[in-house]
Amino acid sequence: MTHVFNFSAGPAVLPKEVLLQAASEMLDWHGSGMSVMEMSHRGPEFSSIHRQALDDLRELLDVPANYKILFQQGGGLGQNAIVPLNLAGRRNDPVVDFVHTGSWSGKSIKEAARYARVNVAASSEAEGFARVPARESWKLSQDAAYLHICTNETIDGVEYPDAPEINSDVPIVADMSSHILSRKIDISKYGVIFAGAQKNIGPAGLTLVIVREDLLDYASPQCPSAFNWKTCAEHDSLYNTPPTYSIYIAGLVFAWLKANGGVAAMEQRNIEKARLLYEAFDRDDFYVNRVAPEFRSRMNVPFYLRDESLNQLFLTGAQARGLLQLKGHKSVGGMRASIYNAMPIEGVQALVDYLNEFAGR
Amino acid sequence: MTHVFNFSAGPAVLPKEVLLQAASEMLDWHGSGMSVMEMSHRGPEFSSIHRQALDDLRELLDVPANYKILFQQGGGLGQNAIVPLNLAGRRNDPVVDFVHTGSWSGKSIKEAARYARVNVAASSEAEGFARVPARESWKLSQDAAYLHICTNETIDGVEYPDAPEINSDVPIVADMSSHILSRKIDISKYGVIFAGAQKNIGPAGLTLVIVREDLLDYASPQCPSAFNWKTCAEHDSLYNTPPTYSIYIAGLVFAWLKANGGVAAMEQRNIEKARLLYEAFDRDDFYVNRVAPEFRSRMNVPFYLRDESLNQLFLTGAQARGLLQLKGHKSVGGMRASIYNAMPIEGVQALVDYLNEFAGR
């Protein structure tokens, strides 16, 4: 096997141990004679896999008892519509508040405008999305149906250091797709948390939704049943056939996280990985990261070569060293290193060594 | 490994060769150093997997050039809403025609009623869904937005022997979830075909949509972007991150089908498998299948023991012989044997032997 470190923003690197176990169980899960892919979603075998994944996730994230954990489909972009279809109905003639911190909150704003009036309470667009707008500057509505934030902008590399205090009972909806399970979070600060799986959870095609029970009652009649949170909760995510194999892989990832110290240990490792990488950019002015230090993402690190004519040379050299998928998102150019939970510190060190070597040439 | 035959209605048995290949490539796809699960959906590796799957499927189903093949999420239940959200807009104050032949068309009717007026043009409910209503009896609307049929009812075991002739240009939408790729179909007779993958295609969580290009322009403003067929078509199913690993497995299934004679060879094998099984029921009156012979499904074979007090004994004996997941759907009771493409004739023969032995006792 080629030895590589994969910096893809998602679908992204998975723990080697998880892939080894999945390969070994592919044809026969625990003596059942079946692959997990072949199991009825209502049979005892898959039920036990599903239950264990839910229990482990609840433990890892310390999810309070009054929150449901749902497995849906359609990813973050799907939830951009599914959220207002389920929650805008909290108010008549609803307004939804947003904080615009980058590409993903921007997409959410655009999609929500199909279903509700949208108020952009704050935006850092004029500053090139280099920060989360200061809390004092947020112009929140009087009585929003909810406030939507993206707590880690995968493309722009901006991360909320903690949950915002908004001094009202307006529920906060957080798109945590690209940093869930990477740091401790206080779930009780949020009404709804959603995350596409393909970064820190498992395969693309699985979407995690954590929703406070009192927010399950507001779905629009236009909300497709398969994406109605309440229907999904009442049927334990089995209203429609769930992406069973993806739930199985997610469960293996959760077990791996638990065996490796849980979220607290991941957070310490992620702090160290991010420190190593940002220090390499700050050492001289060959590379640039434009995000204000207190909002720099620990998961997605966009950077630019000051001399962009060297981009192709940089990428070719990286590829030759097995440092894969470092090209930045097409909408912003440059480079991006995504260093999710499953990226070992050795991978970050290998990238830092290459960064230094390339700058030195 | 336990040797079993898995008669699950879905998720269902997959070809052993596919699982073996998936296991062997789990950690390193074609020397890339990455699992398919870890690949960016926009990178060259996954692009080649995606392209090959589309090409093979187009060849297997002989899909005309003016039809798009989309990979979506949310399954058949998702499409029950996604179809009217994309297509009811063909008409002002739209009416949608349905033929009610069992549980799945029933669910489709209920869901579509959120988005359009529904006309049940024909129903076999009064006959216990034992047949497709005779074409002459269908009371089609003058100018429906579309006609929705379920060409194989997974729970009721009723299959259309061919595409209905409706003598108008109203597009026919066909839910083919549980028999796609099992028999030759003339795609040009349909406007839209959809299918959840978890029967004859691959893992749950992937949804196939084949749509005629002129039907891409009618989405409602309420249609979530991630489920808008046109958006999906314009972005080659990459508008949101697709279920990449499921597409890869589907691609392996398509390659397996091609290597095994394609749809024509599958159809011959499926005719033979179904013949074997139905003959066992018709031999005496110990077992009952209630569907009229010309509409009996080749894929999903529900049956009842005349003496239902023997049900548990029957199932326990089957399980002991490695004949798995034969319990009927909870809504109809009894038994069901799903005998998809990947079920070998040996599995059907093993079931028939058991049926005869159990009846003889």
mmCIF file of all heavy atoms in Angstrom, chain B residues 95-99 118-123 133-142 144 147:
data_model
loop_
_atom_site.group_PDB
_atom_site.id
_atom_site.type_symbol
_atom_site.label_atom_id
_atom_site.label_comp_id
_atom_site.label_asym_id
_atom_site.label_seq_id
_atom_site.Cartn_x
_atom_site.Cartn_y
_atom_site.Cartn_z
ATOM 1 N N VAL B 95 -53.373 17.968 -10.627
ATOM 2 C CA VAL B 95 -53.874 16.695 -10.133
ATOM 3 C C VAL B 95 -52.861 15.625 -10.542
ATOM 4 O O VAL B 95 -52.249 15.701 -11.613
ATOM 5 C CB VAL B 95 -55.289 16.379 -10.677
ATOM 6 C CG1 VAL B 95 -55.301 16.278 -12.194
ATOM 7 C CG2 VAL B 95 -55.851 15.106 -10.049
ATOM 8 N N VAL B 96 -52.656 14.672 -9.650
ATOM 9 C CA VAL B 96 -51.729 13.579 -9.923
ATOM 10 C C VAL B 96 -52.525 12.276 -9.884
ATOM 11 O O VAL B 96 -53.287 12.035 -8.953
ATOM 12 C CB VAL B 96 -50.592 13.549 -8.880
ATOM 13 C CG1 VAL B 96 -49.675 12.384 -9.130
ATOM 14 C CG2 VAL B 96 -49.829 14.863 -8.897
ATOM 15 N N ASP B 97 -52.362 11.466 -10.910
ATOM 16 C CA ASP B 97 -53.046 10.172 -10.970
ATOM 17 C C ASP B 97 -52.197 9.076 -10.329
ATOM 18 O O ASP B 97 -50.961 9.080 -10.462
ATOM 19 C CB ASP B 97 -53.325 9.781 -12.432
ATOM 20 C CG ASP B 97 -54.521 10.525 -13.019
ATOM 21 O OD1 ASP B 97 -55.269 11.170 -12.251
ATOM 22 O OD2 ASP B 97 -54.692 10.467 -14.252
ATOM 23 N N PHE B 98 -52.868 8.158 -9.676
ATOM 24 C CA PHE B 98 -52.196 7.019 -9.039
ATOM 25 C C PHE B 98 -52.957 5.742 -9.355
ATOM 26 O O PHE B 98 -54.184 5.764 -9.479
ATOM 27 C CB PHE B 98 -52.180 7.176 -7.506
ATOM 28 C CG PHE B 98 -51.104 8.076 -7.004
ATOM 29 C CD1 PHE B 98 -51.321 9.444 -6.925
ATOM 30 C CD2 PHE B 98 -49.878 7.567 -6.626
ATOM 31 C CE1 PHE B 98 -50.315 10.286 -6.467
ATOM 32 C CE2 PHE B 98 -48.878 8.405 -6.161
ATOM 33 C CZ PHE B 98 -49.097 9.774 -6.085
ATOM 34 N N VAL B 99 -52.231 4.651 -9.429
ATOM 35 C CA VAL B 99 -52.865 3.333 -9.392
ATOM 36 C C VAL B 99 -52.425 2.682 -8.087
ATOM 37 O O VAL B 99 -51.214 2.584 -7.799
ATOM 38 C CB VAL B 99 -52.473 2.470 -10.610
ATOM 39 C CG1 VAL B 99 -53.134 1.103 -10.524
ATOM 40 C CG2 VAL B 99 -52.877 3.184 -11.900
ATOM 41 N N VAL B 118 -54.968 14.525 -5.541
ATOM 42 C CA VAL B 118 -54.636 13.153 -5.915
ATOM 43 C C VAL B 118 -55.890 12.466 -6.457
ATOM 44 O O VAL B 118 -56.965 12.582 -5.873
ATOM 45 C CB VAL B 118 -54.093 12.399 -4.674
ATOM 46 C CG1 VAL B 118 -54.217 10.913 -4.845
ATOM 47 C CG2 VAL B 118 -52.647 12.800 -4.408
ATOM 48 N N ASN B 119 -55.729 11.827 -7.589
ATOM 49 C CA ASN B 119 -56.813 11.008 -8.147
ATOM 50 C C ASN B 119 -56.367 9.550 -8.179
ATOM 51 O O ASN B 119 -55.398 9.214 -8.868
ATOM 52 C CB ASN B 119 -57.154 11.468 -9.571
ATOM 53 C CG ASN B 119 -58.078 10.490 -10.279
ATOM 54 O OD1 ASN B 119 -59.100 10.082 -9.723
ATOM 55 N ND2 ASN B 119 -57.701 10.097 -11.496
ATOM 56 N N VAL B 120 -57.039 8.711 -7.405
ATOM 57 C CA VAL B 120 -56.725 7.282 -7.470
ATOM 58 C C VAL B 120 -57.512 6.720 -8.658
ATOM 59 O O VAL B 120 -58.714 6.481 -8.575
ATOM 60 C CB VAL B 120 -57.066 6.569 -6.153
ATOM 61 C CG1 VAL B 120 -56.760 5.079 -6.259
ATOM 62 C CG2 VAL B 120 -56.287 7.199 -4.999
ATOM 63 N N ALA B 121 -56.805 6.550 -9.751
ATOM 64 C CA ALA B 121 -57.450 6.165 -11.013
ATOM 65 C C ALA B 121 -57.955 4.729 -10.970
ATOM 66 O O ALA B 121 -58.904 4.372 -11.683
ATOM 67 C CB ALA B 121 -56.466 6.345 -12.170
ATOM 68 N N ALA B 122 -57.312 3.918 -10.151
ATOM 69 C CA ALA B 122 -57.733 2.521 -10.014
ATOM 70 C C ALA B 122 -57.114 1.965 -8.748
ATOM 71 O O ALA B 122 -56.054 2.432 -8.309
ATOM 72 C CB ALA B 122 -57.275 1.701 -11.224
ATOM 73 N N SER B 123 -57.778 0.996 -8.153
ATOM 74 C CA SER B 123 -57.269 0.378 -6.937
ATOM 75 C C SER B 123 -57.689 -1.080 -6.875
ATOM 76 O O SER B 123 -58.806 -1.437 -7.252
ATOM 77 C CB SER B 123 -57.812 1.109 -5.701
ATOM 78 O OG SER B 123 -57.449 0.404 -4.527
ATOM 79 N N PRO B 133 -54.983 -3.598 -11.242
ATOM 80 C CA PRO B 133 -56.310 -3.395 -11.826
ATOM 81 C C PRO B 133 -56.240 -3.383 -13.358
ATOM 82 O O PRO B 133 -55.291 -2.844 -13.937
ATOM 83 C CB PRO B 133 -56.740 -2.031 -11.290
ATOM 84 C CG PRO B 133 -55.903 -1.785 -10.077
ATOM 85 C CD PRO B 133 -54.614 -2.499 -10.314
ATOM 86 N N ALA B 134 -57.245 -3.982 -13.980
ATOM 87 C CA ALA B 134 -57.266 -4.070 -15.447
ATOM 88 C C ALA B 134 -57.185 -2.672 -16.052
ATOM 89 O O ALA B 134 -57.854 -1.739 -15.591
ATOM 90 C CB ALA B 134 -58.546 -4.769 -15.910
ATOM 91 N N ARG B 135 -56.355 -2.544 -17.043
ATOM 92 C CA ARG B 135 -56.084 -1.242 -17.651
ATOM 93 C C ARG B 135 -57.370 -0.515 -18.067
ATOM 94 O O ARG B 135 -57.494 0.702 -17.932
ATOM 95 C CB ARG B 135 -55.141 -1.440 -18.853
ATOM 96 C CG ARG B 135 -54.870 -0.222 -19.705
ATOM 97 C CD ARG B 135 -54.155 0.871 -18.949
ATOM 98 N NE ARG B 135 -54.198 2.122 -19.716
ATOM 99 C CZ ARG B 135 -55.192 2.978 -19.664
ATOM 100 N NH1 ARG B 135 -56.236 2.765 -18.889
ATOM 101 N NH2 ARG B 135 -55.159 4.074 -20.394
ATOM 102 N N GLU B 136 -58.363 -1.281 -18.554
ATOM 103 C CA GLU B 136 -59.625 -0.673 -19.013
ATOM 104 C C GLU B 136 -60.354 0.020 -17.872
ATOM 105 O O GLU B 136 -61.179 0.907 -18.111
ATOM 106 C CB GLU B 136 -60.591 -1.716 -19.599
ATOM 107 C CG GLU B 136 -59.960 -2.718 -20.537
ATOM 108 C CD GLU B 136 -59.255 -3.864 -19.802
ATOM 109 O OE1 GLU B 136 -59.932 -4.727 -19.231
ATOM 110 O OE2 GLU B 136 -57.995 -3.841 -19.798
ATOM 111 N N SER B 137 -60.069 -0.383 -16.642
ATOM 112 C CA SER B 137 -60.809 0.174 -15.497
ATOM 113 C C SER B 137 -60.186 1.469 -14.965
ATOM 114 O O SER B 137 -60.767 2.122 -14.113
ATOM 115 C CB SER B 137 -60.867 -0.861 -14.366
ATOM 116 O OG SER B 137 -59.581 -1.007 -13.780
ATOM 117 N N TRP B 138 -59.001 1.847 -15.470
ATOM 118 C CA TRP B 138 -58.322 3.022 -14.909
ATOM 119 C C TRP B 138 -59.065 4.292 -15.314
ATOM 120 O O TRP B 138 -59.303 4.524 -16.499
ATOM 121 C CB TRP B 138 -56.877 3.127 -15.403
ATOM 122 C CG TRP B 138 -55.980 1.999 -14.987
ATOM 123 C CD1 TRP B 138 -56.349 0.806 -14.441
ATOM 124 C CD2 TRP B 138 -54.561 1.967 -15.127
ATOM 125 N NE1 TRP B 138 -55.235 0.029 -14.218
ATOM 126 C CE2 TRP B 138 -54.116 0.726 -14.628
ATOM 127 C CE3 TRP B 138 -53.604 2.864 -15.612
ATOM 128 C CZ2 TRP B 138 -52.779 0.361 -14.615
ATOM 129 C CZ3 TRP B 138 -52.269 2.509 -15.605
ATOM 130 C CH2 TRP B 138 -51.863 1.258 -15.101
ATOM 131 N N LYS B 139 -59.397 5.111 -14.355
ATOM 132 C CA LYS B 139 -60.086 6.390 -14.623
ATOM 133 C C LYS B 139 -59.066 7.521 -14.532
ATOM 134 O O LYS B 139 -58.968 8.224 -13.523
ATOM 135 C CB LYS B 139 -61.224 6.584 -13.633
ATOM 136 C CG LYS B 139 -62.338 5.538 -13.790
ATOM 137 C CD LYS B 139 -63.580 5.881 -13.007
ATOM 138 C CE LYS B 139 -64.743 4.985 -13.393
ATOM 139 N NZ LYS B 139 -64.444 3.531 -13.244
ATOM 140 N N LEU B 140 -58.319 7.685 -15.603
ATOM 141 C CA LEU B 140 -57.256 8.689 -15.616
ATOM 142 C C LEU B 140 -57.838 10.091 -15.765
ATOM 143 O O LEU B 140 -58.880 10.275 -16.411
ATOM 144 C CB LEU B 140 -56.272 8.397 -16.756
ATOM 145 C CG LEU B 140 -55.556 7.039 -16.655
ATOM 146 C CD1 LEU B 140 -54.788 6.733 -17.948
ATOM 147 C CD2 LEU B 140 -54.592 7.027 -15.460
ATOM 148 N N SER B 141 -57.171 11.075 -15.176
ATOM 149 C CA SER B 141 -57.601 12.465 -15.315
ATOM 150 C C SER B 141 -57.325 12.944 -16.744
ATOM 151 O O SER B 141 -56.517 12.365 -17.469
ATOM 152 C CB SER B 141 -56.842 13.357 -14.335
ATOM 153 O OG SER B 141 -56.997 12.873 -13.024
ATOM 154 N N GLN B 142 -58.002 14.021 -17.097
ATOM 155 C CA GLN B 142 -57.816 14.600 -18.430
ATOM 156 C C GLN B 142 -56.377 15.076 -18.646
ATOM 157 O O GLN B 142 -55.776 14.837 -19.671
ATOM 158 C CB GLN B 142 -58.754 15.821 -18.616
ATOM 159 C CG GLN B 142 -60.144 15.483 -19.061
ATOM 160 C CD GLN B 142 -60.180 14.797 -20.431
ATOM 161 O OE1 GLN B 142 -59.186 14.256 -20.925
ATOM 162 N NE2 GLN B 142 -61.346 14.783 -21.054
ATOM 163 N N ALA B 144 -53.452 15.187 -16.140
ATOM 164 C CA ALA B 144 -52.688 15.032 -14.895
ATOM 165 C C ALA B 144 -51.273 15.568 -15.066
ATOM 166 O O ALA B 144 -50.712 15.566 -16.170
ATOM 167 C CB ALA B 144 -52.641 13.553 -14.500
ATOM 168 N N LEU B 147 -48.684 10.462 -13.908
ATOM 169 C CA LEU B 147 -49.298 9.234 -13.380
ATOM 170 C C LEU B 147 -48.224 8.469 -12.621
ATOM 171 O O LEU B 147 -47.145 8.207 -13.164
ATOM 172 C CB LEU B 147 -49.819 8.377 -14.534
ATOM 173 C CG LEU B 147 -50.126 6.897 -14.208
ATOM 174 C CD1 LEU B 147 -51.288 6.773 -13.216
ATOM 175 C CD2 LEU B 147 -50.409 6.108 -15.488
#
